[in-house]
């Protein structure tokens, strides 16, 4: 299985955009999507507080699955059940379920209400995904586990450690899924399992029916450990965007290609570890590092990287032929992997956003800096001091005025067009956040100068 990860905890696309993207995923060689809804899921009843103001409706969830079915994509929903629970634990209503009261990251596994809440969250998500044969329970990066008072007491009473505590909670979550939803298979990230001994992993049958999802090579020593522990299948997780910096706006193509080539090498080594087999790979595309961090690369900006990575997996390498197929599908003339650029118009969904973000990323800051910092008439005759005291000679101001006004007008007009394009794909909160992070810090300096000039 080749799943593309849609991380909706930031910049969740409108369903109308997914209508355009799903056929492309299929064409490029994906046969599934891993959907991390977080607060975009239409939670009901007691759980309604978890919903974002722009959450998908129940009809949207149904439409997404119909589109997936139409394009032969398996939908795997992801529900975080231990760490990365900020979107739940940030609410006052659930604050008492935190492992450490100050931090909204991880659940306290010792309070019965934790499992009760997780059961109702899982139930609502699974009930709306009747066609799915897989569920992903997250379970990565359980920060501060063992630091809460309840955990400390538990460890001293039971002479236990955080590994045992982690497994106990995961077994309860998996036990609920296997008894309530017969035949539904579970996936989980493997970073916490890496720290746990083979002996501890060998026991629980509910755990061994689960597939660990390995998120970074070198994986071979851990693969050996999972084979010895009795796991029958593993998954790998590569990345096509969202792993090179929390505020990254543009994906480095050669970095992501190398990531996939290294996973292909791990796949070649796998037959030595029979009966352990590779069940699938998830191409992750993080949209935030967690609920509280800023947006990283937008999906339309990441599509060329995704196309390169998917086709590399399909063909088992990145040959001239692979490259040609990617260029044909995306409507580009050429690509420079080291420069992370693609030349040509591009005919994929969101190509306009791709080109416009490239302009913002490559030129906005630089052109404004050049106008404001390198123009001697501004430095000498229109300094912050002049502006503060409204004291300047029109003769000197006119020498730089038309240039600055034109730069300002050009960028404002460009940004209006970009906003229009973004609004077609995204909800207002995303557009606002992206502008605040990537445009306003630079354009506001120019806006202020023009206002003072006028």
């Amino acid at each position: 299985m080749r799943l593309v990860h849609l991380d909706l905890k930031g910049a969740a696309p409108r369903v109308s955009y997914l209508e355009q993207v799903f056929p492309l995923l299929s064409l490029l060689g994906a046969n599934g999507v891993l959907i991390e809804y977080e607060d975009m899921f239409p939670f009901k009843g007691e759980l309604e507080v978890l919903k974002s103001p722009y959450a998908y409706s129940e009809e949207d969830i149904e439409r997404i699955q119909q589109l997936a079915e139409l394009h032969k994509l398996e939908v795997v929903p992801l529900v975080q059940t231990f760490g990365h629970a900020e979107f739940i634990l940030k609410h006052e209503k659930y604050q008492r379920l935190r492992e450490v009261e100050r931090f909204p990251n991880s659940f306290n596994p010792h309070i019965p209400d934790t499992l009760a809440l997780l059961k109702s969250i899982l139930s609502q998500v699974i009930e709306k995904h009747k066609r799915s044969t897989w569920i992903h329970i997250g379970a990565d990066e359980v920060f501060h586990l063992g630091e809460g008072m309840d955990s400390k007491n538990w460890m001293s009473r039971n002479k236990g450690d955080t590994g045992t505590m982690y497994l106990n909670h995961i077994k309860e979550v998996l036990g609920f899924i296997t008894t309530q939803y017969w035949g539904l298979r579970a996936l989980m990230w493997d970073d916490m399992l890496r720290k746990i001994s083979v002996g501890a992993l060998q026991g629980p049958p509910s755990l061994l029916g689960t597939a660990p999802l390995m998120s970074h090579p070198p994986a071979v020593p851990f693969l050996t450990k999972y084979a010895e522990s009795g796991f029958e299948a593993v998954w790998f997780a590569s990345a096509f965007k969202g792993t090179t910096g929390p505020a990254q706006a543009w994906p480095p193509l050669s970095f992501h290609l190398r990531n996939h080539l290294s996973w292909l090498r791990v796949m070649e080594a796998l037959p030595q570890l029979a009966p352990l087999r590779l069940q699938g790979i998830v191409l992750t595309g993080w949209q935030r590092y967690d609920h509280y961090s800023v947006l990283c690369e937008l999906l339309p900006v990441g599509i060329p990287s995704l196309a390169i990575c998917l086709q590399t997996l399909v063909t088992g390498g990145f040959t001239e032929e692979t490259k040609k197929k990617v260029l044909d599908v995306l409507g580009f003339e050429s690509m420079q992997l080291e420069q992370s650029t693609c030349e040509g118009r591009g005919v994929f969904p969101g190509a306009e956003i791709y080109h416009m973000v490239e302009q913002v990323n490559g030129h906005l800051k630089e052109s404004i800096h050049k106008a404001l910092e390198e123009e001697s008439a501004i430095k000498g005759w229109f300094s912050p001091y002049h502006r503060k005291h409204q004291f300047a000679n029109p003769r000197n101001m006119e020498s730089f005025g038309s240039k600055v006004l034109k730069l300002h007008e050009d960028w404002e007009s460009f940004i209006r067009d970009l906003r229009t394009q973004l609004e077609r794909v995204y909800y207002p909160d995303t557009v606002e956040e992206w502008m605040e992070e990537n445009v306003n810090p630079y354009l506001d300096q120019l806006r202020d100068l023009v206002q003072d000039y006028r």
Side-chain angles (χ1 to χ4, degrees):
M1 291 174 79
R2 289 184 290 270
L3 308 186
V4 174
H5 175 221
L6 298 174
D7 179 15
L8 307 183
K9 62 179 172 279
R14 295 175 186 271
V15 178
S16 53
Y17 183 65
L18 296 179
E19 281 178 6
Q20 303 171 331
V21 169
F22 279 15
L24 178 67
L25 299 184
S26 203
L27 183 62
L28 288 168
N31 49 23
V33 281
L34 173 69
I35 306 185
E36 185 160 356
Y37 288 107
E38 213 181 75
D39 58 1
M40 285 302 289
F41 188 81
F43 291 108
K44 290 193 308 203
E46 277 287 284
L47 301 177
E48 202 163 337
V49 66
L50 302 178
K51 266 166 53 172
S52 147
Y54 296 100
Y56 292 147
S57 65
E58 293 189 19
E59 294 71 30
D60 290 336
I61 302 290
E62 181 51 35
R63 178 79 186 118
I64 288 168
Q65 291 176 93
Q66 287 169 354
L67 288 168
E69 202 166 30
L70 186 63
H71 299 290
K72 301 187 171 47
L73 299 168
E74 165 105 23
V75 174
V76 179
L78 187 154
V79 177
Q80 283 287 3
T81 55
F82 210 164
H84 282 296
E86 298 93 344
F87 85 102
I88 301 165
L89 297 176
K90 70 177 183 183
H91 294 285
E92 203 176 325
K93 182 176 180 178
Y94 300 119
Q95 195 170 343
R96 62 194 175 78
L97 302 182
R98 297 174 177 182
E99 169 70 1
V100 173
E101 200 189 342
R102 283 174 55 220
F103 306 135
N105 299 65
S106 307
F107 279 111
N108 175 344
H110 308 286
I111 304 177
D113 284 0
T114 291
L115 194 63
L117 173 64
L118 287 171
K119 285 176 177 179
S120 70
I121 291 174
L122 283 163
S123 300
Q124 288 200 17
V125 173
I126 294 169
E127 291 299 332
K128 287 273 170 274
H129 290 82
K130 288 283 201 328
R131 308 171 179 77
S132 296
T133 57
W134 290 89
I135 175 98
H136 191 317
I137 61 163
D140 58 322
E141 298 188 334
V142 187
F143 298 137
H144 311 293
L145 181 61
E147 291 174 24
M149 219 48 235
D150 288 349
S151 287
K152 285 177 176 166
N153 293 338
W154 183 89
M155 288 191 290
S156 71
R157 272 201 316 274
N158 297 280
K159 299 192 172 37
D161 55 17
T162 53
T164 313
M165 210 156 52
Y166 175 81
L167 285 181
N168 287 348
H169 177 72
I170 294 302
K171 279 186 284 193
E172 289 191 305
V173 169
L174 292 170
F176 167 72
I177 292 168
T178 47
T179 52
Q180 290 297 114
Y181 301 98
W182 194 83
L184 188 61
R185 290 174 293 175
L187 272 171
M188 62 187 283
W189 300 117
D190 90 311
D191 57 295
M192 299 294 288
L193 297 178
R194 291 186 178 206
K195 303 166 193 166
I196 297 170
S197 70
V198 171
L201 289 177
Q202 274 169 337
S206 61
L207 185 66
L208 298 181
T210 308
L213 182 54
M214 309 184 68
S215 50
H216 38 83
V220 177
F222 296 107
L223 285 167
T224 308
K225 172 176 163 175
Y226 296 145
E228 287 169 6
S229 301
F231 285 99
E232 289 162 12
V234 289
W235 287 58
F236 295 154
S238 58
F240 70 91
K241 74 177 189 74
T243 52
T244 53
Q248 184 81 11
W250 198 254
L253 295 180
S254 58
F255 174 88
H256 292 294
L257 173 59
R258 283 197 302 275
N259 177 250
H260 285 77
L261 294 172
S262 68
W263 277 117
L264 285 170
R265 286 195 293 278
V266 177
M267 288 177 201
E268 284 165 19
L270 205 62
Q272 308 157 21
L273 297 166
L276 188 68
R277 60 194 169 82
L278 177 66
Q279 204 151 33
I281 185 161
V282 175
L283 294 90
T284 62
W286 302 100
Q287 195 52 79
R288 297 187 195 283
Y289 276 30
D290 69 34
H291 186 78
Y292 280 85
S293 66
V294 298
L295 295 171
C296 37
E297 308 100 311
L298 295 172
L299 183 55
V301 171
I303 282 180
S305 174
L306 175 59
I308 290 167
C309 297
L310 254 175
Q311 275 296 300
T312 297
L313 291 176
V314 171
T315 56
F318 189 68
T319 60
E320 276 306 311
E321 209 169 308
T322 315
K323 184 172 170 179
K324 188 180 175 330
K325 162 105 190 236
V326 170
L327 292 172
D328 289 349
V329 169
L330 299 182
F332 283 133
E333 284 145 32
S334 62
M335 62 171 70
Q336 312 304 324
L337 290 177
E338 292 307 321
Q339 286 77 45
S340 300
T341 55
C342 297
E343 292 77 33
R345 226 184 97 226
V347 293
F348 59 92
E352 304 81 6
I353 292 175
Y354 174 86
H355 286 303
M356 294 175 103
V357 170
E358 189 172 25
Q359 288 299 312
V360 168
N361 196 47
H363 305 295
L364 176 69
K365 182 180 177 178
E366 187 190 328
S367 69
I368 290 172
H369 180 81
K370 202 169 168 168
L372 271 50
E373 297 299 322
E374 293 175 20
E375 176 65 64
S376 68
I378 292 179
K379 287 289 247 197
W381 284 271
F382 202 56
S383 73
Y385 180 83
H386 290 99
R387 290 163 63 184
K388 183 177 174 183
H389 295 284
Q390 300 186 343
F391 170 78
N393 186 335
R395 176 178 175 273
N396 302 96
M397 287 174 68
E398 281 167 16
S399 71
F400 66 79
S402 56
K403 203 192 312 184
V404 165
L405 290 175
K406 179 162 176 16
L407 181 69
H408 174 246
E409 184 45 50
D410 288 351
W411 273 119
E412 290 290 11
S413 143
F414 180 86
I415 294 302
R416 276 195 298 276
D417 292 348
L418 172 57
R419 192 179 271 277
T420 305
Q421 293 295 342
L422 286 171
E423 281 166 355
R424 286 184 187 159
V425 173
Y426 293 111
Y427 297 99
D429 58 337
T430 298
V431 179
E432 206 43 55
E433 182 181 350
W434 198 87
M435 291 293 179
E436 281 292 348
E437 291 290 337
N438 298 282
V439 173
N440 298 352
Y442 315 110
L443 198 49
D444 281 352
Q445 297 172 32
L446 185 59
R447 287 166 176 156
D448 290 347
L449 183 104
V450 166
Q451 194 179 345
D452 290 351
Y453 173 85
R454 290 206 165 112

